[in-house]
Amino acid sequence: MNDFWKEFPLIQQQLNETCELIRRQVKIRNKEIETALIELTYSGGKLLRPAFFFLFAQIGDEQKQDQKQLIKIAASIEILHMATLVHDDIIDDSPLRRGAITIQARYGKDIAVYTGDLLFTEFFELLAETMNGSNFLHTNASAMKRLLLGELDQMHTRYKQSMTVFDYLRSVNGKTAELFSLSCLEGAHFGVASAEVQRLAARIGRHIGIAFQVYDDILDYTADEKTLKKPVLEDLSQGVYTLPLIFAMRKAPERFAYYLEKGADITAEQAIETAQLVHELDGVNDAKAFAKRVTEKALTDIQKLPDCLGKEQLTLLTELLLQRSF
């Protein structure tokens, strides 16, 4: 269990129970794959989505909550996230995830595809157990569709030198912000919070998700591989042009043309030179300022929530996300 959550005793035990449930859910006949999935669950993932789920549940009516149901829904959210990570690693041909060898690198892409698909089935199995007859079955299906469309948007814009902030945000709204928004909304709903809190939760989660992804993309330009626990400049090399690069390119597109015209043939040295240009033209600083503005929108809405310890911890967690190093 991530030591980070020692600062959040309100939800630490629930996150422990969520991880334990995931461990039980991924028990399969293939013990190597089972071990790999358990490692993925416990290998330093931040568990942010279930954490936001539980913090919003704290703002609801504890007397009316079903704690077993909450644990299962939190697990479903993290399992969905895990499935997308496994498939992302296949698409990106990533050798590392959270400092460990990825499933696709260890066992091959075929096995990794089916492993990701298996996790999707576990996600829907938990939904069937906890939301049968609820409108949130449709809500989850719609969220998963938007998540996948966001990933497809990103693939469609690979190596696009005319990439715009709008293109970037359209992808981020689906592939990252959608699941954060769903986590917060479901926490408020199944925590039996008011309709107004649920409305705020969905909006807060979306802003947190956007800021989180922007900062994740910033780290690709600022962190080292040991800290980040995966290869740096991976997105740039694979034609995924994120906000730091987009902001820098807007100032001097001609200075990037030589490097980006190489497409998939860009070398590691050229990727480093491109990153240096991004820093020189303040792309990283501009992206940080953008992430801070979006985070402030989330914090403003958090202040509209009912006063409680959960609200205080939501504020703390949201602020900490701007200070992370991985």
Side-chain angles (χ1 to χ4, degrees), residues 9-43:
L10 195 64
I11 60 169
Q12 186 181 26
Q13 180 57 37
Q14 290 172 305
L15 290 174
N16 282 329
E17 291 178 27
T18 300
C19 284
E20 178 58 25
L21 176 57
I22 293 172
R23 188 189 66 78
R24 295 197 302 271
Q25 287 290 130
V26 300
K27 287 184 72 69
I28 57 175
R29 287 190 297 274
N30 188 319
K31 293 307 173 185
E32 286 185 321
I33 300 301
E34 178 184 314
T35 299
L37 288 172
I38 292 172
E39 286 176 358
L40 183 61
T41 305
Y42 287 96
S43 63

Side-chain angles (χ1 to χ4, degrees), residues 28 30 32-34 36-37 40 79-95 97 101-121:
I28 57 175
N30 188 319
E32 286 185 321
I33 300 301
E34 178 184 314
L37 288 172
L40 183 61
I79 286 173
L80 175 58
H81 177 52
M82 289 168 59
T84 65
L85 295 183
V86 172
H87 283 170
D88 280 352
D89 289 338
I90 298 167
I91 294 166
D92 297 338
D93 202 24
S94 296
R97 167 70 67 179
I101 299 174
T102 59
I103 292 174
Q104 70 91 20
R106 185 182 299 179
Y107 301 109
K109 294 183 184 296
D110 291 352
I111 288 178
V113 167
Y114 286 118
T115 301
D117 291 347
L118 176 66
L119 288 171
F120 282 130
T121 67

Side-chain angles (χ1 to χ4, degrees), residues 224-250:
D224 56 64
E225 186 170 323
K226 182 178 180 181
T227 303
L228 201 55
K229 300 181 182 180
K230 63 180 181 179
V232 296
L233 298 180
E234 188 174 42
D235 284 344
L236 173 61
S237 299
Q238 295 177 347
V240 179
Y241 299 155
T242 57
L243 206 56
L245 177 61
I246 293 168
F247 279 146
M249 280 197 299
R250 291 201 308 191

Side-chain angles (χ1 to χ4, degrees), residues 20 47 53 70 105 124 132 145 156-157 159 195-196 200 202 226 230 256 259 297 323:
E20 178 58 25
L47 297 171
F53 170 86
L70 293 181
F124 282 113
N132 195 15
K145 179 179 180 179
H156 179 68
T157 56
Y159 301 107
E196 174 62 12
L200 284 169
K226 182 178 180 181
K230 63 180 181 179
F256 290 93
Y259 299 102
K297 290 182 180 180
Q323 303 169 22

Side-chain angles (χ1 to χ4, degrees), residues 46-92:
K46 290 176 279 292
L47 297 171
L48 287 172
R49 295 148 190 85
F52 278 109
F53 170 86
F54 286 124
L55 287 174
F56 270 99
Q58 292 288 340
I59 298 173
D61 187 342
E62 191 172 351
Q63 299 301 316
K64 297 180 180 178
Q65 294 172 8
D66 181 337
Q67 293 302 315
K68 289 185 178 179
Q69 180 191 45
L70 293 181
I71 297 297
K72 287 183 178 181
I73 296 172
S76 77
I77 291 168
E78 186 63 14
I79 286 173
L80 175 58
H81 177 52
M82 289 168 59
T84 65
L85 295 183
V86 172
H87 283 170
D88 280 352
D89 289 338
I90 298 167
I91 294 166
D92 297 338

Side-chain angles (χ1 to χ4, degrees), residues 147-214:
L147 189 158
L148 296 175
L149 287 173
E151 293 286 3
L152 287 171
D153 284 337
Q154 178 175 285
M155 294 181 70
H156 179 68
T157 56
R158 283 183 184 239
Y159 301 107
K160 181 181 177 182
Q161 293 185 49
S162 59
M163 184 79 169
T164 65
V165 174
F166 176 82
D167 292 331
Y168 172 81
L169 290 177
R170 181 169 58 186
S171 171
V172 168
N173 257 298
K175 72 174 195 138
T176 304
E178 184 65 34
L179 193 48
F180 273 94
S181 182
L182 177 69
S183 302
C184 296
L185 171 60
E186 289 194 330
H189 177 81
F190 290 98
V192 199
S194 69
E196 174 62 12
V197 168
Q198 292 180 48
R199 184 184 67 81
L200 284 169
R203 192 165 71 194
I204 290 166
R206 189 160 301 280
H207 284 137
I208 288 171
I210 292 170
F212 177 83
Q213 184 61 58
V214 172

Side-chain angles (χ1 to χ4, degrees), residues 238-275:
Q238 295 177 347
V240 179
Y241 299 155
T242 57
L243 206 56
L245 177 61
I246 293 168
F247 279 146
M249 280 197 299
R250 291 201 308 191
K251 296 175 182 177
E254 71 284 352
R255 297 185 66 183
F256 290 93
Y258 167 77
Y259 299 102
L260 301 188
E261 284 172 0
K262 297 183 179 299
D265 295 325
I266 191 170
T267 66
E269 183 179 345
Q270 289 165 343
I272 291 171
E273 291 173 4
T274 306

